[in-house]
C-alpha cells in the first residue's frame, strides 16, 4: 500500500503566539532558580505561596456529596438557585429591579464565557454599535470582542505620569464616542492597574453615559475580594441600576470563592421592564445553546449552597476578608520596603492607592524584562504584578528588583 505523501490540509494554519499571561507561568516553571517568583497569573496564594481551597467550599462540597445528587443536565439558563443567589449578591436581594422581574440572568462559563455570550448578543442585536474598552484592560477583553466580530475602541484610563487615573481623558473619550456605544467598565479592582474611580467620579461617569445614551457593561470579577465587602465592591453597578439605566453585568466566582477551575459565573442584563427581560433572556439562551448547550453544575451548587446557608455565608465573608486583608498587608509591606530602600525621593504612594489583586508598577517593557532576566520575577510586560503571588517574606526582594529596574534600565 502506498503511503500518502500529499501536503497536510493544515499547511495554511500558522502557529498561534503564546498567551501573554499563561505564557508567563510556562516560563516560570522552566526557571530553576530558587529566587524565582511568579507574579503573572491572577490566582490567590496563601502566605506560603500555595493554592488555596476555601474551607467554606470544602463544607459545601461535603454537603453535596452527602446528598448524593445526580449529574443530570442543567437547563440552558443554568441552576435556578445559583441564578437567584448571584443576582441577589450583585444587586442586593431587596433591589426593586429584582422584585419587579427586570433582571435577565444566565449562568455561564465564568467571566470569560459571560463576556463572550454578551458579545454575541451585541453582535446580533446591535450590529452597528461599538464597545469602548479602557486603556489598558484585561488582555482577554479584546480577544473576546474580536472573536465575536464586535468593533471596539479604547478610552483613556491610565496616566503614566501619575501612575493613576486619567479621569479627564476617560470622560472626554466616552463623551466623544458615538451615541449608544457600549462602555465596558471594571466594577472594582481594575485589571491590570488596580486603579478605581472614586464614588464622585462614578457619579460623573454615570452622568455622561446617561447623557450619551450609552449602555454600561460591567465586568465584575472581584466582588468581595477587592475590599473584603460584597456590598462595597458592587456599589458602582448598583449606582447605575438605581438611576434606572439598562445595564449588562458579567460576573465570576473564580477569585472570591477560589473556584478557578469550576468556570462558574453569570451574565446579567438589567432591563427597563419585565417583558424586556424575558425577551433578552430568551435570546441569550438561544445564543448559548449552540455555544455550549448548558453550563456545569458543580460550581453552581457550591455558590448556591454557600449563599443559601446563613452560617456558610458568614464564613465565606470572613474568608474573603482574610484574603483581601492578606493582599492589603503585602501591598503595605511592599510600599514600606520601596520607600525605605529607594533613596531617590521617588513617590511610591500609588502602590497604596491601588486596590485588589494587582498593582501597576509603572515599569515599561525593558524594565519588566530586567525583572525576569536578572531577578527571576515573572510578570506581564505591561508592568502589572499580581500581589496574590507575593508574601511578606519576599517583599524586600521584590522592592530591590523594582528599584533596580526602574532606575538602571532605560
Amino acid at each position: 500500500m502506498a503511503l500518502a505523501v500529499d501536503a497536510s490540509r493544515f499547511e495554511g494554519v500558522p502557529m498561534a503566539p503564546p498567551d501573554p499571561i499563561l505564557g508567563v507561568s510556562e516560563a516560570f516553571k522552566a526557571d530553576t532558580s530558587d529566587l524565582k517568583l511568579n507574579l503573572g497569573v491572577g490566582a490567590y496564594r496563601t502566605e506560603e505561596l500555595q493554592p488555596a481551597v476555601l474551607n467554606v467550599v470544602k463544607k459545601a462540597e461535603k454537603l453535596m456529596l452527602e446528598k448524593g445528587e445526580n449529574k443530570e443536565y442543567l437547563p440552558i439558563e443554568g441552576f435556578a438557585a445559583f441564578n437567584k443567589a448571584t443576582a441577589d449578591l450583585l444587586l442586593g436581594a431587596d433591589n426593586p429591579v429584582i422584585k419587579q422581574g427586570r433582571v435577565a440572568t444566565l449562568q455561564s462559563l465564568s467571566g470569560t464565557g459571560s463576556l463572550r455570550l454578551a458579545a454575541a448578543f451585541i453582535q446580533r442585536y446591535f450590529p452597528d454599535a461599538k464597545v469602548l474598552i479602557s486603556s489598558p484592560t484585561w488582555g482577554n477583553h479584546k480577544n473576546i470582542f474580536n472573536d465575536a466580530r464586535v468593533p471596539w475602541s479604547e478610552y483613556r484610563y491610565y496616566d503614566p505620569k501619575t501612575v493613576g487615573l486619567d479621569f479627564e481623558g476617560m470622560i472626554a473619550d466616552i463623551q466623544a464616542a458615538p451615541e449608544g456605544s457600549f462602555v465596558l467598565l471594571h466594577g472594582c479592582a481594575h485589571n491590570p492597574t488596580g486603579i478605581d474611580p472614586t464614588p464622585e467620579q462614578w457619579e460623573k461617569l454615570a452622568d455622561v453615559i446617561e447623557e450619551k445614551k450609552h449602555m454600561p457593561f460591567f465586568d465584575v470579577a472581584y466582588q468581595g475580594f477587592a475590599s473584603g465587602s460584597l456590598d462595597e465592591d458592587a456599589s458602582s453597578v448598583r449606582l447605575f441600576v438605581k438611576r434606572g439605566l439598562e445595564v449588562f453585568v458579567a460576573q465570576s466566582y473564580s477569585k472570591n470563592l477560589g473556584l478557578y477551575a469550576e468556570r462558574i459565573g453569570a451574565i446579567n442584563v438589567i432591563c427597563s421592564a419585565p417583558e424586556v427581560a424575558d425577551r433578552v433572556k430568551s435570546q441569550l439562551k438561544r445564543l448559548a445553546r449552540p455555544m455550549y448547550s448548558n453550563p456545569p453544575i458543580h460550581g453552581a451548587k457550591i455558590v448556591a449552597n454557600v449563599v443559601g446557608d446563613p452560617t456558610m455565608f458568614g464564613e465565606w465573608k470572613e474568608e474573603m476578608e482574610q484574603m483581601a486583608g492578606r493582599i492589603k498587608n503585602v501591598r503595605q509591606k511592599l510600599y514600606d520596603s520601596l520607600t525605605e530602600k529607594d533613596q531617590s525621593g521617588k513617590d511610591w504612594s500609588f502602590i497604596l492607592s491601588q486596590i485588589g489583586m494587582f498593582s501597576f508598577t509603572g515599569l515599561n517593557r525593558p524594565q519588566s524584562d530586567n525583572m525576569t532576566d536578572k531577578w527571576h520575577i515573572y510578570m506581564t510586560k505591561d508592568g502589572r504584578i499580581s500581589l496574590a503571588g507575593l508574601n511578606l517574606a519576599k517583599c524586600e526582594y521584590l522592592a530591590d528588583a523594582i528599584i533596580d529596574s526602574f532606575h538602571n534600565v532605560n
Side-chain angles (χ1 to χ4, degrees):
M1 180 183 292
L3 295 176
V5 292
D6 292 341
S8 170
R9 294 287 296 277
F10 303 109
E11 283 297 320
V13 179
M15 179 65 72
D19 185 274
I21 297 177
L22 300 182
V24 171
S25 292
E26 295 303 316
F28 171 79
K29 290 176 183 176
D31 192 332
T32 58
S33 173
D34 292 334
L35 298 172
K36 68 179 183 178
L37 198 57
N38 187 359
L39 305 182
V41 179
Y44 182 78
R45 296 291 181 262
T46 65
E47 189 65 20
E48 294 71 41
L49 300 185
Q50 296 300 311
V53 178
L54 273 60
N55 290 326
V56 74
V57 169
K58 295 176 183 177
K59 287 185 178 181
E61 289 183 315
K62 183 180 178 183
L63 181 64
M64 291 159 60
L65 191 62
E66 289 171 351
K67 287 182 177 179
E69 295 170 332
N70 62 46
K71 301 292 184 182
E72 289 292 305
Y73 287 125
L74 284 176
I76 298 173
E77 62 263 40
F79 188 45
F82 165 80
N83 287 351
K84 181 182 185 308
T86 198
D88 287 351
L89 281 176
L90 177 67
L91 302 170
D94 295 330
N95 197 305
V97 296
I98 292 178
K99 293 183 175 181
Q100 294 163 9
R102 291 166 46 201
V103 185
T105 299
L106 252 74
Q107 178 191 337
S108 193
L109 308 182
S110 198
T112 300
S114 301
L115 288 160
R116 182 62 181 81
L117 189 59
F121 185 93
I122 293 169
Q123 193 276 334
R124 180 167 293 183
Y125 294 103
F126 300 89
D128 298 325
K130 179 182 285 189
V131 175
L132 307 181
I133 300 174
S134 67
S135 177
T137 193
W138 177 49
N140 218 17
H141 280 151
K142 295 176 183 179
N143 295 336
I144 289 166
F145 291 108
N146 283 339
D147 199 55
R149 294 179 172 81
V150 174
W152 55 267
S153 62
E154 294 181 310
Y155 59 83
R156 282 169 284 178
Y157 195 86
Y158 172 68
D159 183 352
K161 294 179 181 177
T162 63
V163 196
L165 178 64
D166 180 3
F167 186 67
E168 290 184 5
M170 181 184 188
I171 288 293
D173 290 345
I174 292 173
Q175 281 179 323
E179 186 174 283
S181 296
F182 286 74
V183 183
L184 187 63
L185 302 162
H186 299 229
C188 63
H190 182 273
N191 179 4
T193 68
I195 302 163
D196 286 350
T198 64
E200 293 76 22
Q201 289 171 334
W202 277 119
E203 291 277 3
K204 176 63 175 175
L205 277 167
D207 288 341
V208 172
I209 287 172
E210 186 173 6
E211 174 190 324
K212 290 287 297 188
K213 297 182 174 60
H214 294 329
M215 177 76 80
F217 185 173
F218 283 90
D219 184 358
V220 178
Y222 303 97
Q223 186 183 355
F225 188 93
S227 68
S229 166
L230 288 163
D231 292 327
E232 184 176 338
D233 290 345
S235 60
S236 58
V237 175
R238 295 177 187 181
L239 165 67
F240 281 70
V241 172
K242 188 176 181 180
R243 286 187 171 219
L245 298 177
E246 293 184 302
V247 184
F248 276 77
V249 189
Q251 289 173 282
S252 167
Y253 288 89
S254 293
K255 307 299 191 298
N256 56 12
L257 260 173
L259 299 178
Y260 302 96
E262 302 297 347
R263 311 314 296 147
I264 177 64
I267 181 67
N268 305 268
V269 188
I270 295 88
C271 302
S272 60
E275 59 271 20
V276 178
D278 289 342
R279 285 189 278 113
V280 168
K281 185 173 183 178
S282 74
Q283 294 297 342
L284 286 170
K285 289 166 62 176
R286 187 180 179 188
L287 288 164
R289 176 62 168 145
M291 275 192 193
Y292 54 83
S293 276
N294 37 45
I297 196 168
H298 191 78
K301 285 192 172 181
I302 291 173
V303 176
N305 283 340
V306 169
V307 176
D309 182 282
T311 300
M312 284 199 288
F313 186 54
E315 291 175 3
W316 176 37
K317 289 195 285 188
E318 288 179 5
E319 289 194 85
M320 268 191 297
E321 289 173 3
Q322 291 167 6
M323 289 192 293
R326 194 188 88 73
I327 300 298
K328 290 175 182 177
N329 290 339
V330 166
R331 189 181 289 280
Q332 182 68 53
K333 176 66 173 175
L334 176 60
Y335 167 76
D336 292 342
S337 299
L338 285 166
T339 52
E340 180 181 336
K341 290 172 174 288
D342 185 11
Q343 302 302 312
S344 72
K346 176 176 171 56
D347 182 8
W348 295 99
S349 62
F350 63 85
I351 298 285
L352 297 180
S353 64
Q354 298 168 358
I355 189 172
M357 181 176 284
F358 300 110
S359 178
F360 220 48
T361 61
L363 298 179
N364 59 33
R365 188 181 183 96
Q367 292 166 338
S368 299
D369 286 339
N370 184 69
M371 295 282 286
T372 301
D373 298 340
K374 179 178 178 179
W375 294 89
H376 304 276
I377 294 172
Y378 291 82
M379 56 192 286
T380 53
K381 300 306 180 183
D382 58 4
R384 185 197 81 171
I385 57 175
S386 172
L387 297 180
L390 181 65
N391 61 9
L392 294 174
K394 293 279 190 176
C395 283
E396 291 193 8
Y397 179 74
L398 177 59
D400 287 334
I402 291 174
I403 292 167
D404 172 65
S405 300
F406 180 79
H407 290 296
N408 298 325
V409 179
N410 293 322

